[in-house]
Amino acid sequence: MEKFTKLSATAAPMPLVNIDTDMIIPKVFLKTIKRSGLGVNLFDEMRYDRQGNEIEDFVLNQPQYRDAQILVAGDNFGCGSSREHAPWALLDFGIRCVISTSFADIFYNNCFKNGILPIVVTPEEHAKLMDDAERGANAVISVDLEGQTITGPDGGQISFEVDAHKKHCLLNGLDDIGLTMEKAASIDSFEATAAQSRPWV
Amino acid sequence: MSPKTLYDKIWDAHVAHEAEDGTCLLYIDRHLVHEVTSPQAFEGLRMTGRKVRAPEKTIAVPDHNVPTTLDRANAETMTEDSRIQVAALDKNAKDFGIHYYPVSDVRQGIVHIVGPEQGWTLPGMTVVCGDSHTATHGAFGALAHGIGTSEVEHVLATQTLIQKKSKNMKVEITGKLRPGVTAKDITLSVIGETGTAGGTGYVIEYCGEAIRDLSMEGRMTVCNMAIEGGARAGLIAPDETTFEYCKGRPHAPKGAQWEAAMEWWKTLYSDDDAQWDKVITIKGEDIAPVVTWGTSPEDVLPITAAVPSPDSFEGGKVDAAQRSIDYMGLQAGQKLTDIEIDTVFIGSCTNGRIEDLRAAAEILKGKKVAVKRAMVVPGSGLVRAQAEEEGLADIFKEAGFEWRMAGCSMCLAMNPDQLAEGERCASTSNRNFEGRQGYKGRTHLVSPAMAAAAAVTGKLTDVRELM
């Protein structure tokens, strides 16, 4: 997994609430057995017409947002299915950070497994960042995971919360499975006890 | 000992390791696997030379992609990419030695219907699957939730999941339900109350007389949609109804082990003085048959209501409601019972069980469909066989329904069962998102009885008028 330390990039505004994983990556693209190559179909039904032509109005089709690496999105972003194809598609497009007032639980966890930082901010902070994002490429937003801060184009700073374990893994690009396997003795001992107390499992 | 909720009890019984910051390794008792969210996880195991730690606790079944037509044994009925995905699951199940129900097996079906049916899901267990509707299994008093593909790989390799504990929410449905009101109406009404983000950060325990009165099928319907309210999981404490359902299932314990299991299962309830972070109480008698009008499961209203005006919402919901109304091709103020339906879909992990088919057949008996197409997709091959034995299949066929093979089908439309652009469907599934059942397709979520009512009248209909 690619590390996430600091990021300064254009942020694309997507104020719609309840952007679900079917919008992020429609199911027709889930028939892959790979993780890569989904960026071209990110937000497919909002981004292209039925003939595959770009829809001009859609934010990521606008010249100033084509290289956006941050999304400032409406509440409850990533609701719906558990498909990890959603963060895979975001990452493949180049999005490394999503800022919202809340995220759906499974999507939130999936981001951290893929080097994407989801940040929860207050509605007031969100409104300010949405304004910043609407200013386009002139409005670079900087995110510092170590310091847990977002700095807007006018220098204003916002602090955010992140779970210490998730932060550690993201900062260092660590693979969860390797870390868990270091605790194999605990799992062995749990299994041995459970085999006695709940043998039917 | 301090009082505990049911969630606390199951959680405590599964912590294999706890770090200082409260991050836990939660031991997983059952890992369910399907073809769409697992290929990359198995590939990860191969690349790192890792094995499946507990293949005996890992159960796989293809469901999302599989055709539901009667000729599906012919591989030509699948698109190339679907065929590759199903073939990958065939191979992964064989290579890693996990339990498997292939498409040709009569026990094949939707993973969340097969697990309980085969007795894999039992009270007090932790159950995960790379599918958000894993919440279904909470009906047994099992802590069950969806995970992403990286977590699927993590569970395959370590039989644990890295977790922090969620908060406890109690949703109590008091008293009795009125006639025509079902488990689906309960679960949609709760989401209407809390919103789709209302459960974020919580595990919900559903309780109260109306929940106790539900069959296991109904309880699964309620818990299935906990995720639609944003909760990590939904739970219902096990009781005699649960034990009766589990007893004698192929993978349920037998003899002395059954007795030992029962002894523990009977301790699985929330203590009277347990602490709740949030409590919601709804009177059973206040719940009506409901239907969704928009493109989020929280856009739900009693069938007797009208499409709301976007101005009646606040904040970001104003624009979202307008977008929903436009997408759905409706007008604010339009009566829900005036909405004409093209298609009816009965099935899915929400409502593809035998009781659901019985409820729909009860309404359809001796009537004919008045919609362009109507489809029943049983949740498993065994549900299908039972429905045939009970004569339900004949009722559906005589009414003009297509009688299909088991799978996820039009709930997410990954197989050929899809809505056309603008086609409007009364569906017993769980999500009415834009494009969910087909590009620009329009979905109204309803109970099986309400779906049957819409099928015979051609419009969204108050099922109580047909009872």
Side-chain angles (χ1 to χ4, degrees):
Chain A
M1 180 175 86
E2 201 181 330
K3 291 178 187 178
F4 187 108
T5 50
K6 287 183 179 171
L7 175 67
S8 285
T10 307
M14 292 192 77
L16 187 65
V17 299
N18 296 333
I19 292 179
D20 58 67
T21 53
D22 278 83
M23 286 180 178
I24 299 172
I25 185 81
K27 70 259 170 181
V28 286
F29 306 109
L30 307 189
K31 296 187 184 190
T32 173
I33 55 172
K34 298 188 191 135
R35 293 172 199 247
S36 55
L38 291 166
V40 67
N41 302 113
L42 176 71
F43 297 116
D44 196 86
E45 291 179 5
M46 303 164 100
R47 194 166 149 200
Y48 307 106
D49 66 20
R50 210 51 176 151
Q51 286 70 47
N53 305 308
E54 288 188 0
I55 296 168
E56 264 182 53
D57 289 354
F58 182 67
V59 63
L60 296 179
N61 288 336
Q62 296 169 20
Q64 67 271 35
Y65 294 116
R66 284 182 178 269
D67 297 321
Q69 289 180 270
I70 300 171
L71 282 186
V72 182
D75 192 52
N76 199 28
F77 188 82
C79 59
S81 98
S82 65
R83 63 188 68 164
E84 201 160 315
H85 309 68
W88 293 339
L90 287 165
L91 186 68
D92 198 55
F93 178 89
I95 302 290
R96 295 296 310 278
C97 175
V98 187
I99 302 171
S100 180
T101 41
S102 80
F103 292 91
D105 187 46
I106 305 175
F107 174 82
Y108 184 78
N109 282 322
N110 283 343
C111 283
F112 285 98
K113 313 286 183 192
N114 292 283
I116 298 174
L117 175 64
I119 302 177
V120 178
V121 294
T122 65
E124 295 71 33
E125 293 164 345
H126 188 260
K128 172 77 179 72
L129 289 165
M130 192 64 80
D131 282 347
D132 290 340
E134 274 159 8
R135 286 156 59 188
N138 298 326
V140 166
I141 289 178
S142 299
V143 177
D144 176 5
L145 176 56
E146 179 66 54
Q148 296 181 211
T149 56
I150 305 170
T151 308
D154 53 6
Q157 211 168 63
I158 292 167
S159 308
F160 62 88
E161 294 295 318
V162 59
D163 174 78
H165 174 78
K166 290 188 168 82
K167 176 180 174 179
H168 175 69
C169 290
L170 206 49
L171 279 174
N172 298 290
L174 294 177
D175 161 22
D176 273 345
I177 300 179
L179 289 176
T180 297
M181 283 190 149
E182 289 171 11
K183 303 187 184 91
S186 300
I187 305 172
D188 290 343
S189 127
F190 178 90
E191 267 183 347
T193 311
Q196 297 298 316
S197 60
R198 296 185 299 130
W200 61 88
V201 176
Chain B
M1 234 172 27
S2 59
K4 288 179 175 185
T5 63
L6 171 58
Y7 171 49
D8 297 338
K9 290 179 183 178
I10 303 174
W11 175 273
D12 290 349
H14 289 85
V15 176
H17 181 272
E18 183 164 359
E20 279 175 17
D21 71 346
T23 303
C24 291
L25 280 183
L26 200 67
Y27 192 82
I28 301 304
D29 293 329
R30 293 288 180 263
H31 186 191
L32 309 176
V33 174
H34 66 80
E35 78 278 20
V36 177
T37 56
S38 68
Q40 295 87 349
F42 284 110
E43 188 57 22
L45 293 186
R46 283 199 181 86
M47 282 164 61
T48 48
R50 288 168 178 150
K51 292 190 180 111
V52 175
R53 182 180 169 105
E56 73 282 5
K57 295 171 182 169
T58 312
I59 300 100
V61 58
D63 56 5
H64 282 57
N65 266 304
V66 298
T68 58
T69 45
L70 301 182
D71 62 348
R72 71 174 177 179
N74 176 0
E76 301 281 305
T77 56
M78 259 191 268
T79 59
E80 179 66 10
D81 41 10
S82 292
R83 196 157 52 230
I84 290 171
Q85 232 172 25
V86 173
L89 188 64
D90 287 341
K91 179 169 165 47
N92 288 329
K94 188 160 168 273
D95 288 358
F96 290 92
I98 62 183
H99 299 280
Y100 190 47
Y101 303 100
V103 177
S104 56
D105 193 312
V106 69
R107 296 167 298 178
Q108 179 272 344
I110 306 171
V111 65
H112 307 308
I113 292 189
V114 174
E117 206 167 65
Q118 293 300 317
W120 290 114
T121 307
L122 296 168
M125 282 184 164
T126 45
V127 181
V128 296
C129 174
D131 189 282
S132 57
H133 292 110
T134 311
T136 311
H137 308 263
F140 292 79
L143 177 60
H145 59 89
I147 55 177
T149 298
S150 295
E151 291 177 314
V152 169
E153 186 178 339
H154 191 278
V155 176
L156 288 171
T158 70
Q159 205 58 28
T160 64
L161 205 53
I162 301 172
Q163 291 278 288
K164 270 205 173 157
K165 209 172 163 198
S166 302
K167 291 180 282 186
N168 280 291
M169 187 195 303
K170 175 160 93 168
V171 173
E172 187 175 14
I173 313 294
T174 60
K176 301 277 181 200
L177 297 178
R178 291 183 184 277
V181 179
T182 69
K184 183 67 164 285
D185 302 301
I186 294 180
T187 203
L188 279 169
S189 297
V190 171
I191 297 163
E193 183 92 12
T194 62
T196 49
T200 304
Y202 292 92
V203 164
I204 295 175
E205 181 177 339
Y206 299 95
C207 60
E209 188 184 352
I211 298 290
R212 286 278 138 243
D213 285 350
L214 293 175
S215 64
M216 284 316 294
E217 284 86 351
R219 293 179 189 187
M220 284 188 255
T221 301
V222 170
C223 289
N224 173 276
M225 291 192 71
I227 181 69
E228 258 46 80
R232 172 163 297 173
L235 283 171
I236 294 173
D239 60 10
E240 287 305 322
T241 305
T242 322
F243 308 142
E244 191 56 38
Y245 180 97
C246 293
K247 199 166 189 177
R249 302 254 159 203
H251 296 278
K254 316 261 179 319
Q257 287 216 356
W258 172 265
E259 297 306 324
M262 281 288 280
E263 204 173 308
W264 187 54
W265 293 347
K266 286 181 174 172
T267 68
L268 297 176
Y269 52 83
S270 290
D271 297 328
D272 285 342
D273 40 1
Q275 295 296 307
W276 300 94
D277 300 295
K278 194 169 175 178
V279 176
I280 287 170
T281 307
I282 297 176
K283 282 188 193 163
E285 63 184 22
D286 287 349
I287 300 175
V290 292
V291 55
T292 62
W293 54 268
T295 56
S296 168
E298 70 190 18
D299 299 338
V300 64
L301 284 170
I303 181 67
T304 48
V307 177
S309 160
D311 300 335
S312 63
F313 294 92
E314 287 176 1
K317 276 298 288 175
V318 178
D319 288 346
Q322 187 62 58
R323 184 183 168 99
S324 282
I325 288 171
D326 294 344
Y327 180 89
M328 292 297 288
L330 301 172
Q331 266 99 45
Q334 186 177 1
K335 280 174 69 181
L336 294 173
T337 47
D338 286 344
I339 297 173
E340 290 185 5
I341 295 295
D342 302 308
T343 296
V344 170
F345 170 69
I346 297 176
S348 85
C349 58
T350 312
N351 283 128
R353 285 168 286 269
I354 190 69
E355 186 183 279
D356 302 314
L357 304 195
R358 287 181 193 140
E362 183 67 31
I363 301 295
L364 291 170
K365 211 169 186 174
K367 300 194 179 77
K368 296 278 181 204
V369 302
V371 289
K372 294 187 189 110
R373 64 172 166 158
M375 190 192 283
V376 188
V377 181
S380 72
L382 293 180
V383 169
R384 187 173 194 276
Q386 189 178 348
E388 287 180 344
E389 206 179 291
E390 293 184 15
L392 308 179
D394 292 333
I395 296 174
F396 284 117
K397 286 190 264 188
E398 280 158 23
F401 270 78
E402 293 175 48
W403 179 244
R404 296 293 195 103
M405 304 292 276
C408 297
S409 181
M410 202 188 269
C411 173
L412 87 167
M414 266 191 87
N415 75 350
D417 308 340
Q418 301 182 7
L419 296 182
E421 241 177 284
E423 191 174 347
R424 187 182 297 282
C425 181
S427 176
T428 67
S429 55
N430 41 57
R431 291 196 174 125
N432 49 348
F433 297 161
E434 290 181 18
R436 173 77 180 180
Q437 295 193 291
Y439 182 76
K440 303 278 184 205
R442 293 163 172 164
T443 304
H444 295 278
L445 301 177
V446 288
S447 73
M450 287 280 284
V456 297
T457 64
K459 293 190 297 185
L460 290 177
T461 297
D462 189 337
V463 66
R464 293 170 294 193
E465 287 167 14
L466 300 182
M467 287 166 64

